[in-house]
Structures are given as structure tokens and as C-alpha cells.
Amino acid sequence: MAHLIAPSILAANYGALNKDFDMLNKSQADWVHVDVMDGVFVPNISFGQMLVKQMKSVSEKPLDVHLMIVEPEKYVDSFIECGADVVTFHLEATAHAHRLITHIQAQGAKAGVALNPQTNVDQLDDLLEGLDLVCLMSVNPGFGGQKFIYRTINKIQQLRKKIVERNLDTKIEIDGGVGLQNAEAILKAGADVLVAGSSVFKSEDPALTIQRLKEIEIGNFDI
Ligand code: DX5
Ligand code: ZN
């Protein structure tokens, strides 16, 4: 299946969000990645439900909501009510990931689990079946514009192998430091969804950058 591009709205211009959504709506973006940060799980605060609801009202693309918050079980319902189509929480933020995945899906959203750079993909062994998406953080979460941690490539390969062996269709999303310079290597390693913040919004022509990311072609890859 063709890979998906999810521009991260964290890097957009908040004074002119409608303009950025207009660009995204017309672009080849598949999803809009929405980073929710609480200042506790990560050392930064971004935005909450009210802004997500506003984004939903202007977005023609599904909202891919990435919760970088503690106690995600308290908030998933409200984010789904505000229009989240995919809800991803961090494995490191809850003791009850399995329960939360089934709960999110029962509300009609897709469920994703994100892993910080130090968390091994083996931690997903008892969760993979029934999981819609795994978000591998390729930077330490909390800020846009950081450098891609190259070791993530090994993690993508390890996770792809598990997904193929079990014949699952769980998507692998890569988040942090992704751009035209490394997208091909990331896709070749086995990724399905590329999150791209600064590389899209800080480029001269964001819609063209999205198109270039979308048009990257990879042949069959060895596992
Ligand atoms: C980081 C966020 C990312 C961020 C990516 O904590 O989860 O989604 O917006 O930004 P770039 O693409 O600039 O690294
Ligand atoms: Zn994110």
C-alpha cells in the first residue's frame, strides 16, 4: 500500500491556521498530525480539546491526534468527541494499554501506541494484534525541529518483521526529524506513515514538499 503523509500542525502558523488548513486540504496530505502536550509527560505545552475541535471544523483530512500526556485514559473520550480520527497515546504513560486500545476503538476511532526512543519494540509483543498503528518516536517527544535519531531505522525493521510474521495490517508511523533527506530510508525500512512538521511548514512551498514526500517510490524491500 502507498505510504501516508501526515504533516504535523505543531509547526504551522497559529495566527493563520485557516490558511494552513486550506493548504493541507488542497495538498496530497493524507492525515493531519496533531501534537497534544501537557507539560508533564513532555517538557512543553501545546494545545487541548478546544483547538482540536476548531481544527476538525476546517480540516478535510482525518486528524491523527498524538497524545503526549500522562493519564491518557482520562482524556481519550473528549478528544474523540472533538473529532480525533486516530488517537495515539504513549505506552510509557499508562499501565493499561490493552484496555485503552479497545476502549478507543469502541468509541469508533483508530487506536495507536507511541514509543519513546528508548522503548524497545518487543514491549508491543502482547499488544500488536488489534492495534491500528504504532508511532515510533524518532526524536525525544516535546518539540518540533529536532534531529532524527538514526537508530530508529533498526526499530522500524524489527517492528515490520513482527507485523509481517503475524500477517497484521498495523501501520508503522515515524515521528520526528523526518524530511526529504531521510524519507526514502525510513520507507525502505518498512514505515507506512511519515509525520513531517518543520520539513513541511518551514519549506518554501509546503504543498510541494508534501507532494515530494508522497511521490517517493520504493521497490520491494527485504526484511
Ligand atoms: C514531537 C512531535 C512531533 C513533531 C515533529 O514531540 O510528536 O510530531 O511535531 O516535528 P518535526 O517534523 O519538526 O520533527
Ligand atoms: Zn507527534
Side-chain angles (χ1 to χ4, degrees):
M1 214 198 76
H3 60 275
L4 307 182
I5 307 299
S8 171
I9 206 71
L10 189 68
N13 174 2
Y14 296 97
L17 265 190
N18 283 359
K19 194 166 157 272
D20 283 332
F21 269 96
D22 195 40
M23 180 278 293
L24 290 171
N25 287 341
K26 292 183 187 134
S27 78
Q28 290 189 44
D30 297 282
W31 296 347
V32 178
H33 186 82
V34 179
D35 287 310
V36 175
M37 305 178 183
D38 66 354
V40 181
F41 184 73
V42 288
N44 196 10
I45 299 175
S46 59
F47 40 75
Q49 291 90 332
M50 278 160 64
L51 201 50
V52 172
K53 195 170 177 185
Q54 176 62 23
M55 290 175 184
K56 184 67 180 179
S57 71
V58 291
S59 181
E60 290 168 15
K61 314 275 174 158
L63 297 187
D64 171 35
V65 175
H66 177 192
L67 299 177
M68 286 163 273
I69 63 174
V70 295
E71 300 187 290
E73 45 283 301
K74 281 193 184 168
Y75 301 100
V76 292
D77 288 8
S78 62
F79 279 100
I80 293 168
E81 277 159 27
C82 290
D85 297 279
V86 183
V87 179
T88 297
F89 63 89
H90 271 260
L91 188 62
E92 302 87 357
T94 179
H96 299 289
H98 187 273
R99 178 189 290 154
L100 195 49
I101 291 163
T102 49
H103 179 80
I104 290 168
Q105 291 166 336
Q107 314 302 307
K110 301 267 184 226
V113 167
L115 301 186
N116 280 336
Q118 85 278 4
T119 305
N120 197 286
V121 293
D122 291 343
Q123 299 283 319
L124 296 168
D125 278 351
D126 294 308
L127 289 175
L128 263 189
E129 271 86 8
L131 188 52
D132 297 301
L133 177 134
V134 175
C135 174
L136 296 179
M137 292 306 303
S138 40
V139 296
N140 285 295
F143 303 92
Q146 302 181 81
K147 195 172 174 298
F148 182 82
I149 298 171
Y150 198 76
R151 233 196 104 70
T152 313
I153 295 288
N154 299 5
K155 290 174 79 175
I156 302 170
Q157 289 168 333
Q158 289 164 9
L159 183 57
R160 171 57 56 198
K161 189 163 178 282
K162 290 178 193 287
I163 289 170
V164 169
E165 277 171 4
R166 301 187 195 187
N167 201 20
L168 303 174
D169 56 10
T170 313
K171 288 192 191 319
I172 303 178
E173 176 177 73
I174 306 305
D175 187 8
V178 177
L180 286 165
Q181 74 289 356
N182 55 16
E184 188 176 344
I186 293 167
L187 292 169
K188 274 193 177 145
D192 303 290
V193 188
L194 301 179
V195 174
S198 333
S199 67
V200 165
F201 286 98
K202 309 291 178 218
S203 70
E204 236 166 70
D205 186 340
L208 182 62
T209 305
I210 293 168
Q211 182 186 333
R212 289 203 176 129
L213 287 167
K214 185 71 185 170
E215 283 174 351
I216 294 171
E217 285 195 27
I218 53 158
N220 290 331
F221 49 85
D222 295 325
I223 294 156

